[in-house]
Amino acid sequence: MKKLRVGVLASGRGSNLQALLHQSLAGKIDVEVAVVISDVEDALALSRARAAGVPAVYVPPGKFRTKLEPESEKEYVETLLTHGVEVVVLAGFMRILHDDFLNAFPDKVVNIHPSLLPAFPGLNVQKKAIDCGVKWSGATVHFVNAGVDAGPIILQAVVPVLDDDTPETLAARILVEEHRIYPEALQLIAEKRIRIDGRRVIGEPPPTTGESR
Ligand code: GRF
């Protein structure tokens, strides 16, 4: 099967990128990381990509704190297209992407978030979950739309919130699940096993024998 070419955008430590590289290089998923781009010049994610022999590019974000300047957003799109990227994977990318970017990859941008969306979008969500007293939290892989952490949900995994949890211990428990379900969600996309129907992501039946994927 032809591999799905993904481009990963990451701002930080890149543990989700690492999990993806691991599965991809071991041939466990039909996904190839074509390029990794970061808005942070010394992001660990870039070193992880280089160590795996994957092109790693720093693209300066411009003057804003939470978004990309229009010119640099264009450069992100161009870099992704130059590397033949079909699906954009956000893995701890700390900037909001706008219409020009999303329109370049319609329904082809995915994100992972460390809560059971739609509960607790945004930042510091493990602390918010603990403070709110929920007994369960988890991770969500979703398509990205114009809202923040608001697009159609592909996969979720649930973990308990324990009485003695700190944001750090809860984050670590959730991260284990993130590393499991992100590659799994990308494999579903690679196999064309899902489609978007409004807010929902619906499973498609597996192709019958002999039918090309
Ligand atoms: C993860 O918790 C992810 O859910 C969130 O940012 C964090 C990134 O971690 N979007 P890493 O850089 O993949 O280690």
Side-chain angles (χ1 to χ4, degrees):
M1 188 176 135
K2 187 188 155 290
K3 294 211 172 187
L4 179 74
R5 287 178 71 81
V6 304
V8 178
L9 268 50
S11 302
R13 95 196 131 170
S15 73
N16 276 287
L17 166 68
Q18 191 67 63
L20 185 56
L21 285 169
H22 187 74
Q23 299 268 312
S24 163
L25 296 171
K28 292 196 173 144
I29 51 175
D30 300 304
V31 173
E32 181 178 345
V33 181
V35 64
V36 174
I37 311 179
S38 184
D39 56 329
V40 176
E41 199 165 10
D42 61 354
L44 187 53
L46 290 177
S47 327
R48 292 186 195 262
R50 287 185 195 110
V54 169
V57 190
Y58 163 61
V59 178
K63 63 175 182 263
F64 301 116
R65 203 171 49 84
T66 57
K67 61 180 184 177
L68 298 169
E69 260 185 35
E71 273 313 303
S72 64
E73 200 164 64
K74 238 181 243 164
E75 208 178 323
Y76 274 74
V77 171
E78 277 161 21
T79 308
L80 291 162
L81 293 176
T82 304
H83 287 85
V85 164
E86 300 162 280
V87 168
V88 180
V89 174
L90 308 183
F93 188 65
M94 300 307 285
R95 290 170 192 272
I96 293 163
L97 298 167
H98 290 100
D99 284 354
D100 283 351
F101 187 100
L102 297 177
N103 291 338
F105 297 96
D107 293 338
K108 297 283 187 224
V109 183
V110 295
N111 183 40
I112 187 148
H113 183 77
S115 79
L116 291 176
L117 290 172
F120 311 122
L123 296 174
N124 304 319
V125 296
Q126 296 90 349
K127 179 171 186 325
K128 285 179 192 160
I130 292 170
D131 290 350
C132 191
V134 295
K135 299 296 183 195
W136 299 92
S137 188
T140 303
V141 182
H142 64 93
F143 287 106
V144 174
N145 63 13
V148 174
D149 302 322
I153 291 169
I154 303 171
L155 284 180
Q156 292 186 303
V158 177
V159 306
V161 180
L162 305 179
D163 291 348
D164 59 354
D165 261 336
T166 63
E168 291 72 29
T169 59
L170 178 57
R173 192 174 309 118
I174 292 172
L175 202 60
V176 173
E177 296 302 313
E178 293 187 32
H179 296 166
R180 185 175 63 80
I181 65 170
Y182 216 175
E184 203 176 311
L186 293 172
Q187 180 64 14
L188 290 175
I189 296 173
E191 288 184 26
K192 299 190 170 44
R193 293 283 297 275
I194 50 174
R195 68 182 162 83
I196 299 176
D197 181 7
R199 279 215 50 84
R200 304 177 70 200
V201 174
I202 310 286
E204 295 276 34
T208 51
T209 320
E211 189 181 312
S212 80
R213 285 177 177 175

